[in-house]
């Protein structure tokens, strides 16, 4: 089992933006759906968004809908999470995860985190003035 690598986290003021990246270091993401999660100490890990292997379908949690955008560039073997209008409550460690799904048309929903095959180490996002 191989991990993913997240990058792009940091400190940002409320209302600001960040773009997170998720890259597979030793395998192709072409046949994986990818999800973004976040976790704050003392809270259960929260699913934020997920994207189909082709990038044709995206799903968002209500907490980020309208503010975050998930996308992917399979030529770069990378998935992105554009985060706009950030709020202090968005502060968390953000993780990406990959779920093998060879048939892109079978993508229908974000699966529970326990079903993902590969995970990154996380990147810290802090929203504070």
């Amino acid at each position: 089992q191989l991990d993913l690598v997240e990058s792009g986290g940091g400190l940002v003021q409320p209302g600001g933006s960040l773009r997170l990246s998720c890259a597979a270091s030793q395998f192709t993401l072409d046949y994986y759906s990818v999800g973004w999660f976040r976790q704050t100490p003392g809270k259960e890990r929260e699913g934020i968004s997920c994207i189909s292997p082709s990038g044709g379908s995206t799903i968002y949690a209500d907490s980020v809908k309208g503010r975050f955008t998930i996308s992917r560039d399979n030529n770069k073997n990378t998935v992105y999470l554009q985060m706009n209008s950030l709020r202090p409550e968005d502060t968390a460690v953000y993780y990406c995860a990959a779920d093998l799904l060879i048939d892109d048309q079978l993508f229908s929903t974000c699966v529970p985190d326990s079903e993902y095959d590969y995970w990154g180490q996380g990147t810290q996002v802090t929203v504070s003035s």
Side-chain angles (χ1 to χ4, degrees):
Q1 183 172 340
L2 300 175
D3 291 335
L4 304 172
V5 179
E6 303 99 336
S7 62
L11 175 64
V12 63
Q13 294 184 337
S17 298
L18 285 173
R19 188 180 74 161
L20 306 183
S21 298
C22 171
S25 59
Q26 294 180 289
F27 67 102
T28 179
L29 288 174
D30 289 1
Y31 305 106
Y32 292 82
S33 65
V34 175
W36 283 99
F37 300 81
R38 64 186 181 186
Q39 188 165 29
T40 300
K43 296 180 62 177
E44 184 178 353
R45 182 153 50 201
E46 176 189 14
I48 300 301
S49 181
C50 63
I51 189 168
S52 62
S54 70
S57 297
T58 58
I59 301 172
Y60 300 92
D62 289 341
S63 58
V64 305
K65 192 173 299 181
R67 300 187 298 122
F68 292 9
T69 302
I70 190 171
S71 63
R72 66 192 301 160
D73 184 345
N74 284 349
N75 289 331
K76 297 184 180 296
N77 210 33
T78 301
V79 175
Y80 305 97
L81 184 68
Q82 178 67 46
M83 305 185 296
N84 298 326
S85 301
L86 284 164
R87 306 163 179 168
E89 53 263 43
D90 294 319
T91 296
V93 177
Y94 283 72
Y95 301 88
C96 65
D99 175 39
L100 182 64
L101 189 64
I102 296 176
D103 188 348
D104 183 77
Q105 296 187 33
L106 294 179
F107 179 89
S108 61
T109 188
C110 299
V111 301
D113 54 0
S114 62
E115 297 188 22
Y116 282 86
D117 300 299
Y118 303 130
W119 288 84
Q121 293 180 320
T123 185
Q124 176 71 48
V125 172
T126 302
V127 185
S128 176
S129 60

